[in-house]
Amino acid sequence: DVKVTQSSRYLVKRTGEKVFLECVQDMDHENMFWYRQDPGLGLRLIYFSYDVKMKEKGDIPEGYSVSREKKERFSLILESASTNQTSMYLCASMPPSVADTQYFGPGTRLTVL
Amino acid sequence: EDQVTQSPEALRLQEGESSSLNCSYTVSGLRGLFWYRQDPGKGPEFLFTLYSAGEEKEKERLKATLTKKESFLHITAPKPEDSATYLCAVQAFGNTGKLIFGQGTTLQVKP
C-alpha cells in the first residue's frame, strides 16, 4: 500500500511566521503535489514536482514556495504566514505512468492567527 | 477551460435507499476520471479510476460509470458508514498529472 505522511495533523501559527509543511511518501513516486482545500472552493493545486529539485506552479502559488531535495520528501513553505492561508493542506504523490492515481496524505489543518 | 461539476452538493438518504451522484466534466482530452471518498478532517481516499466511455468499476456498494460527458457514482443499499464527501476529478492529456476537482457531494445516510 502507498503511504503518504504529513508532518503535522494540526498546526497553529502567528501572522508573519515562516511555516514548513512536510510530506513524505514511501513508494518511490516521481510526482508529488500540494493542494489546499477550503469550503466552497474545493481542492486547489498550489505547487507540484515531477522530479527531485524540479517544481512547477499550480493554480494558486502566491505566498508559497516548495522544496524537493529528496525524491520521497516534498515541503511546502509559507514564507510569511497570513490569516488567509488558514486552510487544510493536502499532499499527494503519483507514479509516472498513464493516468495514474494520486494518493493523498491525511492533511494538515493550519490555523494562522 | 477544463472543468468539473458535481451534483447534488448534498444528499441525504435512508439506509438502504439507492441513489446516484453525478460528475459532469469538460476537458480537452480525458486521460482519466477519478473518484475519491473523503471523511471529515481526513485526506481523500482513492476509490476508482475510469479511462474511457462505457467503462464501469465496482467496489462493494459503489459502482462508477463513465460517458463522454459525465460519470455517475451509484450507491446501492447504502449504510451509515457510507456517509462521506465524494470527490470527482479529471486528468487531461498533456497536463503532467494535474487533477481538476469538482466541489464534491456530501452524502449522509441515516439509519
Side-chain angles (χ1 to χ4, degrees):
Chain A
D1 277 356
V2 176
K3 190 163 185 183
V4 180
T5 57
Q6 294 183 229
S7 50
S8 306
R9 290 302 309 276
Y10 301 94
L11 209 52
V12 179
K13 295 292 182 180
R14 297 212 172 270
T15 301
E17 280 192 79
K18 192 169 186 175
V19 181
F20 293 87
L21 303 181
E22 283 211 323
C23 175
V24 177
Q25 50 94 2
D26 67 353
M27 284 300 291
D28 205 35
H29 289 170
E30 274 78 6
N31 303 290
M32 295 186 76
F33 304 80
W34 275 107
Y35 295 87
R36 64 178 283 177
Q37 186 176 30
D38 302 286
L41 297 175
L43 275 86
R44 294 179 291 168
L45 182 64
I46 305 171
Y47 266 97
F48 64 102
S49 168
Y50 50 88
D51 203 350
V52 174
K53 298 196 186 290
M54 305 299 287
K55 61 185 179 184
E56 289 213 18
K57 293 180 180 180
D59 300 316
I60 51 164
E62 297 78 19
Y64 303 94
S65 62
V66 290
S67 172
R68 185 121 182 249
E69 296 296 320
K70 292 185 177 181
K71 194 174 188 180
E72 68 270 19
R73 191 179 299 267
F74 191 33
S75 300
L76 180 70
I77 303 155
L78 286 66
E79 296 290 342
S80 177
S82 63
T83 54
N84 63 12
Q85 292 179 310
T86 291
S87 186
M88 171 70 124
Y89 289 88
L90 292 161
C91 173
S93 76
M94 185 184 84
S97 63
V98 177
D100 217 325
T101 302
Q102 288 187 23
Y103 296 92
F104 284 83
T108 295
R109 169 68 64 184
L110 172 67
T111 302
V112 183
L113 302 175
Chain B
E1 183 184 343
D2 299 336
Q3 198 169 2
V4 177
T5 304
Q6 291 186 246
S7 62
E9 285 187 22
L11 183 62
R12 285 185 182 180
L13 299 173
Q14 288 297 128
E15 185 172 1
E17 180 187 2
S18 301
S19 188
S20 297
L21 282 54
N22 177 261
C23 171
S24 297
Y25 65 91
T26 53
V27 65
S28 47
L30 183 69
R31 198 177 186 197
L33 184 142
F34 303 82
W35 282 99
Y36 288 87
R37 170 194 169 124
Q38 187 175 25
D39 293 305
K42 296 188 176 180
E45 175 190 343
F46 169 70
L47 292 173
F48 305 108
T49 308
L50 301 167
Y51 296 103
S52 57
E55 190 174 359
E56 298 182 352
K57 288 197 176 168
E58 285 188 69
K59 180 180 179 180
E60 296 180 359
R61 294 176 292 282
L62 300 176
K63 179 179 174 181
T65 62
L66 181 64
T67 72
K68 288 188 177 179
K69 293 184 178 180
E70 58 192 350
S71 176
F72 291 94
L73 185 65
H74 306 277
I75 303 176
T76 302
K79 298 182 177 182
E81 53 262 41
D82 295 321
S83 298
T85 296
Y86 291 86
L87 300 170
C88 172
V90 297
Q91 192 179 82
F93 284 107
N95 245 1
T96 56
K98 286 171 61 175
L99 288 179
I100 300 158
F101 280 87
Q103 298 285 345
T105 294
T106 299
L107 173 66
Q108 184 181 26
V109 181
K110 294 191 170 184

